[in-house]
Amino acid sequence: MIPEATSLSLQPFFQTLAIIQTTVLSIIIAIYALSTQIAADRFTTRIISSVTENSAYRRTILLFTASIFLDVFALLIYPVSPVWLNWVLLSLAVLGITLTFGSLFYLRDELLSTTEAPSVAEAIRSGISKDAFESAVGDDETTIPFYSFFEAGRSAIQEEDKDAANQLVTALCESTSQLFNEVYDAEETLPDKQETGLIQLLREEKSLATETIEQGYDGLTGYLIQNLASTIEASIEDGQDTIAARGIQLCSEISEGVIERDRLVKPAWLIWEDILESAARDGLEDTLHVGTTSVSNLIDITVENSDELGGRKLTISRILLSGFLKGWSTLVANHGEHITEGDRVDTVPEFLWYRFFERNFEITSRIIVSHNADLQIPAAGMFRLQQELLQELSNVAVSAAEVQNDYLAQRLTKMVIEAGFGFEDNQRTRMQITSGLSEIRSTNDCGQSAVQQALSELQTPAEVNDDDLIPITAPWVLNFIRYTFEGQEEFIEAVSQLETEMSSSDTE
């Protein structure tokens, strides 16, 4: 029953309402503080402001404060207030308490979900945007855009909360990928601050991958590598050479960590073929430089860490080597027609790009042949690695023949022969060399001429008084050809025999 609207009867009513609402408000504040502290301990204190942005908590606090203020105001003026005003204040007080306690139903779910990963993941998705990125990179006080979101992801991984880590890392990868695409679509030439900001985001993704490697979350590591690879390819497609090159360097560091810890994370070695082929097609100098060096380094690591029973590492080496050589073949197919023998790297960019591949291939081939020679018994997978090397290198020579580049076709054909003879000479090796040369020769007249010239030049004695000097094209195999052959006469005899076998196969 509603009390009589007199000053005396309303005084305890307003007082009771104020006490009840103040008590409830205190409980709400305490619960909210506890839930945010739990969220801060579970993720990071920096994420709290993002999670609570546009929160029902603020609206609820405002409603309670306004309602309590109305009750207190009514208590203060009751000695002098007229009856009609008491009725107005009573109606407003009843409405206020109805609204405040009604708002608790909306606040309840929020208080319960504040500490849960889905709320943080949703905050990440709504917080990472093009506008927010531009604001962050334009703010001198912000060193790393969206640092709090990545810190939350790292915290979830470090706390070994795999479910939360999956949700947060997924949200971060999806949001950053979308951000890169939006920025690239909006800007033809990125301002320096935006370029730096995007590179910082790549570093943050790399830091997440480092944490997942430490915790053994191989699935998340693979997901992060794939996301980075997609971002790198998007950067290449947009012509963002610096960003793509830096992304490759970071991705290479992740792959190296995976390989050294002997983790089965396939994207660590499967992504490189597409990246190198994309960079080779678009002719991005820094990207090709860093990409060829990074993949060559990964091959070297896997080969050097393998032993007679190291089948997995040599399989990884073979996949990486295949991707490297396919990237080289793509470069020759797309830009080989612009490369000639008299080119200089400082005047013809295509020749420089080509040199990135050849120089790193020299380093990698030296390590492969040297490691093979040091093994006591043939290692599992070494023959397949050798087979892949000769097959894909032959394909590079085929690409050169297809673009009618006599210089490159002949040079690469000689390298196929030299690389084959750099391994232990046996029937299987000879068959691989013969097969590669047959493919080159059957391409067209340019390929046929390249094979003939290569075989002829390699049988020409060196015009110096040095019996050990062998007339080869690639100096990197010299020591290993010496390991197989005692001198140039024996080497020339082997090449002559190879030519005879090629002629015999033609006759048959």
Side-chain angles (χ1 to χ4, degrees):
M1 182 176 179
I2 299 176
E4 183 181 354
T6 65
S7 296
L8 183 61
S9 60
L10 289 179
Q11 180 183 5
F13 183 79
F14 285 122
Q15 186 175 10
T16 301
L17 288 181
I19 293 172
I20 292 174
Q21 291 183 97
T22 302
T23 303
V24 173
L25 179 60
S26 300
I27 295 172
I28 292 172
I29 293 174
I31 294 175
Y32 186 80
L34 179 61
S35 65
T36 53
Q37 184 59 48
I38 293 174
D41 292 341
R42 186 179 181 187
F43 302 109
T44 173
T45 55
R46 296 183 178 90
I47 198 68
I48 298 303
S49 59
S50 299
V51 176
T52 59
E53 189 175 5
N54 301 320
S55 170
Y57 172 75
R58 296 179 182 178
R59 295 189 294 273
T60 302
I61 294 297
L62 288 175
L63 281 174
F64 268 91
T65 302
S67 183
I68 293 170
F69 176 80
L70 177 64
D71 295 336
V72 174
F73 176 73
L75 284 172
L76 292 175
I77 67 169
Y78 80 87
V80 295
S81 61
V83 174
W84 67 267
L85 184 57
N86 289 337
W87 278 107
V88 172
L89 292 174
L90 175 62
S91 301
L92 292 175
V94 172
L95 177 62
I97 196 169
T98 302
L99 291 174
T100 53
F101 280 91
S103 67
L104 294 180
F105 289 98
Y106 296 97
L107 184 63
R108 177 192 59 184
D109 293 336
E110 183 175 303
L111 290 174
L112 293 175
S113 65
T114 300
T115 60
E116 299 301 320
S119 296
V120 180
E122 184 59 33
I124 290 172
R125 288 189 172 93
S126 60
I128 297 180
S129 66
K130 181 176 177 293
D131 291 339
F133 173 73
E134 291 175 347
S135 175
V137 297
D139 185 1
D140 294 336
E141 295 182 359
T142 302
T143 55
I144 301 176
F146 313 121
Y147 179 79
S148 61
F149 296 145
F150 287 96
E151 184 66 17
R154 281 189 290 269
S155 296
I157 297 169
Q158 291 166 355
E159 292 296 323
E160 299 183 8
D161 189 342
K162 194 168 186 178
D163 181 61
N166 277 320
Q167 294 186 58
L168 268 59
V169 169
T170 300
L172 286 165
C173 288
E174 291 176 351
S175 301
T176 51
S177 294
Q178 183 177 349
L179 172 64
F180 271 82
N181 291 330
E182 290 177 355
V183 172
Y184 289 160
D185 290 342
E187 302 283 351
E188 290 187 6
T189 303
L190 293 182
D192 291 342
K193 286 188 176 181
Q194 289 195 20
E195 184 179 272
T196 302
L198 293 177
I199 292 175
Q200 287 172 331
L201 293 180
L202 294 178
R203 289 196 189 101
E204 290 301 302
E205 284 196 52
K206 188 258 181 180
S207 73
L208 290 175
T210 301
E211 294 293 343
T212 60
I213 293 173
E214 293 293 333
Q215 296 296 335
Y217 293 167
D218 291 347
L220 270 182
T221 304
Y223 180 71
L224 282 161
I225 293 173
Q226 288 177 319
N227 187 73
L228 272 170
S230 298
T231 303
I232 291 167
E233 291 192 53
S235 302
I236 293 171
E237 184 178 349
D238 197 64
Q240 303 296 336
D241 196 11
T242 302
I243 295 175
R246 184 56 178 148
I248 287 175
Q249 185 177 357
L250 294 169
C251 212
S252 172
E253 292 172 4
I254 301 171
S255 295
E256 185 175 336
V258 169
I259 292 170
E260 287 181 341
R261 289 171 174 78
D262 203 22
R263 296 281 173 77
L264 188 59
V265 183
K266 293 183 179 180
W269 47 87
L270 294 178
I271 61 170
W272 294 105
E273 179 180 328
D274 290 339
I275 290 175
L276 286 181
E277 287 187 334
S278 297
R281 277 191 296 268
D282 289 8
L284 299 184
E285 184 173 313
D286 289 344
T287 304
L288 284 172
H289 185 194
V290 177
T292 53
T293 303
S294 297
V295 177
S296 174
N297 180 60
L298 291 174
I299 298 171
D300 299 346
I301 291 172
T302 53
V303 170
E304 290 176 330
N305 289 333
S306 66
D307 52 28
E308 287 82 353
L309 302 177
R312 178 191 288 182
K313 281 192 168 62
L314 287 177
T315 299
I316 296 172
S317 301
R318 180 172 54 82
I319 293 170
L320 289 167
L321 181 62
S322 175
F324 180 93
L325 291 169
K326 286 178 179 177
W328 192 357
S329 181
T330 301
L331 178 77
V332 172
N334 286 269
H335 305 283
E337 59 185 6
H338 304 296
I339 301 172
T340 61
E341 186 172 1
D343 288 340
R344 292 171 53 86
V345 296
D346 56 347
T347 58
V348 181
E350 290 85 358
F351 185 68
L352 176 62
W353 307 339
Y354 175 88
R355 283 293 298 150
F356 290 150
F357 279 99
E358 186 173 294
R359 182 186 61 191
N360 283 290
F361 180 71
E362 291 171 3
I363 297 170
T364 293
S365 298
R366 183 184 297 116
I367 289 175
I368 292 173
V369 176
S370 177
H371 184 74
N372 182 54
D374 290 340
L375 295 175
Q376 299 298 320
I377 59 174
M382 181 55 77
F383 175 72
R384 289 196 64 190
L385 178 62
Q386 173 185 343
Q387 187 179 40
E388 193 77 31
L389 185 152
L390 293 176
Q391 176 62 51
E392 294 300 338
L393 185 58
S394 300
N395 290 339
V396 182
V398 168
S399 295
E402 288 175 343
V403 297
Q404 300 293 325
N405 191 319
D406 295 327
Y407 163 65
L408 286 185
Q410 182 180 333
R411 180 177 180 83
L412 288 163
T413 300
K414 289 175 69 176
M415 291 174 66
V416 170
I417 300 171
E418 293 158 359
F421 282 140
F423 291 94
E424 183 178 355
D425 186 29
N426 55 48
Q427 187 61 33
R428 291 195 303 179
T429 301
R430 195 66 58 86
M431 290 175 61
Q432 291 170 35
I433 301 173
T434 303
S435 175
L437 295 180
S438 297
E439 286 188 41
I440 299 168
R441 188 173 57 181
S442 63
T443 304
N444 51 26
D445 291 342
C446 179
Q448 184 174 0
S449 175
V451 173
Q452 291 175 349
Q453 290 294 325
L455 289 170
S456 175
E457 289 186 14
L458 289 176
Q459 294 179 70
T460 303
E463 296 181 357
V464 294
N465 295 321
D466 187 345
D467 293 336
D468 291 331
L469 186 60
I470 299 173
I472 64 173
T473 300
W476 47 273
V477 297
L478 179 59
N479 291 337
F480 310 111
I481 290 179
R482 284 175 174 163
Y483 171 81
T484 307
F485 304 101
E486 294 183 358
Q488 70 166 326
E489 291 183 359
E490 187 175 340
F491 174 75
I492 291 173
E493 182 181 349
V495 176
S496 177
Q497 183 179 351
L498 178 64
E499 184 176 27
T500 301
E501 293 175 0
M502 295 284 297
S503 300
S504 299
S505 64
D506 291 341
T507 303
E508 295 175 0

